Amino acid sequence: MPSEQQSRKIISGISSKTAGDEGGRTSSDLPGLHQSFVRGFLHTPIGAVPVVEADLSRRDLLGSLKVRFGIGWRNYSLDPGLYALGRPDEASPVVVSANDKASFDRLREALSGRSAWILVLDTQGVNVWCAAAKGDFGTEELVLRLQSSGLGQVVKHRRLILPQLAASGVAAHEVRSRTGFTVSYGPVEACDLPAYLDAGMKATEAMRRKTFPLRDRIALIPMEWISSLKLLIPLCLFFLLAAGIDAEYGWKTALAFDSGLFMVYALLGAFFSGTTVTPALFPWLPGRTFAAKGLCPAWIIVLFLLNARLTSPLSLPRVLESFSVLFLVPAVSSFLAMRFTGSTLITSLSGVRREMRLALPLQIAGGLAGLALWIAAKTLRILW
């Protein structure tokens, strides 16, 4: 049985077909020509198909940069349907993509100097890999989009090129039996598409592999910064404000700058350890899981913090406060590093769940232990 979302799509597709003219076509079946990246239209048997170019505009590049920093990424999408890259004809290849604008831009940029048809599925603005796992880039959506787009009237061949990462969501045999179109899975990386097409749509072993090099890991870091800052900023404010509480004066700026800033430095160290150092040095850090790999740089930061803090004259509150970072920094760094696993192809969904089930209780315990030591130190300061 189709899901509620799939049922709405099917009903929408049927309605648009029955509302059309004799050929069953209506302009609503085609993507809008008003979209900023559209450079004109191509007359076809089904109407005016939007034309796009491989070269990205300044607006496209700015939009991609904003998404990297988590700005507007939930709405960074385009109209689903059929697009023309260059000046394709009835024999040009058909490449299928998601209506995630970043994925679409990467695809058309990779096909520079070529002409092709791009069939964009409605994945709610989600990239191919994630949408395939959720079922949005799936058999039902592909069949519906083939029927509503009128692609069969535009090309003579019946062959589609899908991203390899969409294989988990699409049943190729079912697509062929219901539409007559044969599904071929292209390379993992869009940049390999030209070589794939030149080789007669045959992928090499290297094209089937997804690596996770330093360039790709660094590209994901800004998104981690933005989401993690939502946790970091309130924690820093808490320690700064709580550190300045004094029994005699009510508030003491010197305490806030001494004790509070020490904890802020500790949290900043944990932040960069988990969101930046761990992804960048991922292959070389010990441990198999992200949570474990986030511990190594955290312990180095702890050593620096203790070396700077444990100076004379020592007192019990100062020692307790200093040793609170032994628990707090590794816990925060490990947690932030573990969140990065959702941005990679290295672990499976079951692997992520297993890691969280094991690591999260330890991270919570470490964080609470560090907080308890700091509160104990603060209490002693107030009482003394």
Side-chain angles (χ1 to χ4, degrees), residues 271-347:
F271 169 77
F272 283 106
S273 170
T275 63
T276 308
V277 179
T278 300
L281 302 181
F282 180 82
W284 304 284
L285 292 174
R288 293 180 60 87
T289 65
F290 279 82
K293 288 179 179 292
L295 293 175
C296 184
W299 282 115
I300 295 175
I301 291 169
V302 167
L303 291 177
F304 277 104
L305 289 169
L306 292 181
N307 182 63
R309 191 66 174 170
L310 292 176
T311 57
S312 58
L314 290 177
S315 63
L316 181 57
R318 191 178 183 90
V319 171
L320 289 176
E321 181 184 77
S322 300
F323 278 96
S324 68
V325 301
L326 278 171
F327 299 94
L328 192 61
V329 171
V332 174
S333 176
S334 176
F335 174 73
L336 295 178
M338 185 178 67
R339 294 179 59 188
F340 197 80
T341 190
S343 302
T344 77
L345 291 170
I346 294 176
T347 53

Side-chain angles (χ1 to χ4, degrees), residues 136-163:
D136 289 330
F137 196 117
T139 304
E140 290 298 330
E141 169 60 19
L142 179 56
V143 170
L144 172 63
R145 200 56 55 187
L146 285 170
Q147 294 170 346
S148 65
S149 67
L151 178 64
Q153 302 176 53
V154 177
V155 296
K156 284 188 174 180
H157 64 84
R158 292 295 181 267
R159 194 167 187 179
L160 306 172
I161 303 173
L162 269 66

Side-chain angles (χ1 to χ4, degrees), residues 29-320:
D29 292 326
L30 294 169
L33 299 176
H34 63 281
Q35 299 175 93
S36 62
F37 55 90
V38 173
R39 296 293 176 264
F41 60 90
L42 190 65
H43 290 290
T44 70
I46 61 173
V49 174
V51 172
V52 298
E53 297 175 352
D55 296 331
L56 302 185
S57 66
R58 183 179 302 177
R59 183 170 182 174
D60 293 327
L61 296 174
L62 180 59
S64 178
L65 181 62
K66 289 168 59 179
V67 168
R68 287 295 183 194
F69 283 90
I71 303 172
W73 64 274
R74 293 183 183 275
N75 300 313
Y76 199 56
S77 59
L78 63 150
D79 294 346
L82 187 63
Y83 293 83
L85 175 65
R87 287 295 182 268
D89 56 27
E90 58 189 15
S92 297
V94 179
V95 185
V96 183
S97 185
N99 74 326
D100 165 45
K101 180 63 162 47
S103 300
F104 181 77
D105 287 348
R106 183 72 63 88
L107 173 61
R108 60 190 176 110
E109 189 177 26
L111 293 173
S112 178
R114 296 170 183 263
S115 293
W117 301 101
I118 302 178
L119 183 64
V120 175
L121 305 189
D122 183 3
T123 60
Q124 313 299 314
V126 177
N127 65 70
V128 172
W129 175 47
C130 295
K134 292 172 57 180
D136 289 330
F137 196 117
T139 304
E140 290 298 330
E141 169 60 19
L142 179 56
V143 170
L144 172 63
R145 200 56 55 187
L146 285 170
Q147 294 170 346
S148 65
S149 67
L151 178 64
Q153 302 176 53
V154 177
V155 296
K156 284 188 174 180
H157 64 84
R158 292 295 181 267
R159 194 167 187 179
L160 306 172
I161 303 173
L162 269 66
Q164 182 177 306
L165 295 180
S168 61
V170 177
H173 66 282
E174 189 174 342
V175 174
R176 183 173 183 177
S177 65
R178 293 172 62 179
T179 67
F181 278 87
T182 300
V183 171
S184 296
Y185 292 105
V188 172
E189 300 281 358
C191 60
D192 289 326
L193 269 173
Y196 172 80
L197 292 171
D198 292 341
M201 297 175 64
K202 294 181 180 179
T204 64
E205 185 65 26
M207 291 180 186
R208 295 298 184 201
R209 294 177 181 170
K210 173 57 184 172
T211 58
F212 196 36
L214 178 63
R215 181 190 68 251
D216 291 350
R217 297 196 301 273
I218 291 177
L220 295 168
I221 288 174
M223 179 72 81
E224 297 300 316
W225 284 348
I226 299 301
S227 59
S228 299
L229 282 173
K230 297 175 183 178
L231 170 69
L232 180 70
I233 293 175
L235 283 175
C236 288
L237 290 175
F238 164 77
F239 281 112
L240 277 175
L241 294 174
I245 297 175
D246 182 71
E248 183 177 356
Y249 299 100
W251 171 266
K252 201 170 183 179
T253 305
L255 275 178
F257 276 93
D258 178 50
S259 176
L261 279 181
F262 171 70
M263 298 306 295
V264 169
Y265 292 148
L267 289 172
L268 287 174
F271 169 77
F272 283 106
S273 170
T275 63
T276 308
V277 179
T278 300
L281 302 181
F282 180 82
W284 304 284
L285 292 174
R288 293 180 60 87
T289 65
F290 279 82
K293 288 179 179 292
L295 293 175
C296 184
W299 282 115
I300 295 175
I301 291 169
V302 167
L303 291 177
F304 277 104
L305 289 169
L306 292 181
N307 182 63
R309 191 66 174 170
L310 292 176
T311 57
S312 58
L314 290 177
S315 63
L316 181 57
R318 191 178 183 90
V319 171
L320 289 176

